[in-house]
Amino acid sequence: MSIEVYLNFNGNCREATEFYAEVFGVELQEMMTFGQSPPSPEYPLPEEAKDLIMHTRLNILGSNVMFSDVFPSMPFTVGNNVSLTVQSKDPEVLSSAFNQLKNGGEVQMELQETFWSKKYGSLTDKFGIVWQFNLNEEDC
């Protein structure tokens, strides 16, 4: 069993997915656009939606994370309502991902020792996604 997170973006899903694939060293999956979906005469596809991402996914550290752009005219709220936690027994993996994701973002807590972990930190990346990083000593 796994937990899959679905992240929505406001027209920059492709950029975000490519960025995350690079940060975590994973392979990009096929990106299905709204333009590739079957046409519906009842709901004509606006031109500005054709190249937006309808669905893609990445496998990040063993967890599937799904991504899409919101459909034009649909409400969009920056992803501060989503928090993704990176759990690793390798402190270098945590440091590398943290340092890359903080570029253009805002650090809430630098990686540091806490009472529950020898290495913990949190940040909001340049796409508005909140990330937490935790050294999982139980697996060490």
Side-chain angles (χ1 to χ4, degrees):
M1 184 182 295
S2 67
I3 298 172
E4 296 187 356
V5 179
Y6 210 116
L7 303 176
N8 293 300
F9 295 88
N10 197 20
N12 59 348
C13 179
R14 184 180 308 275
E15 178 188 1
T17 305
E18 290 169 351
F19 176 73
Y20 297 139
E22 182 179 331
V23 166
F24 292 102
V26 298
E27 186 176 323
L28 283 169
Q29 301 297 312
E30 180 181 349
M31 293 188 196
M32 180 180 183
T33 64
F34 286 105
Q36 292 173 303
S37 62
S40 170
E42 297 89 38
Y43 303 102
L45 187 65
E47 192 62 37
E48 67 270 18
K50 289 184 179 177
D51 290 329
L52 295 177
I53 303 301
M54 182 176 181
H55 178 77
T56 191
R57 74 174 58 228
L58 294 175
N59 187 286
I60 299 176
L61 300 173
S63 295
N64 285 318
V65 180
M66 298 176 285
F67 303 82
S68 72
D69 282 309
V70 294
F71 195 78
S73 77
M74 295 296 290
F76 176 78
T77 303
V78 175
N80 64 0
N81 62 328
V82 176
S83 178
L84 302 177
T85 303
V86 178
Q87 299 268 5
S88 178
K89 61 183 178 180
D90 185 342
E92 295 306 313
V93 168
L94 288 179
S95 294
S96 175
F98 185 91
N99 289 327
Q100 290 181 72
L101 287 169
K102 75 178 183 181
N103 288 330
E106 181 180 339
V107 174
Q108 282 77 50
M109 183 178 192
E110 286 288 349
L111 285 174
Q112 59 191 272
E113 188 169 348
T114 64
F115 69 88
W116 68 88
S117 177
K118 291 194 182 209
K119 194 172 248 191
Y120 173 85
S122 64
L123 59 83
T124 302
D125 71 19
K126 66 183 180 181
F127 299 104
I129 304 302
V130 178
W131 294 84
Q132 297 181 60
F133 298 82
N134 190 58
L135 184 63
N136 193 345
E137 297 172 288
E138 294 174 351
D139 292 340
C140 293

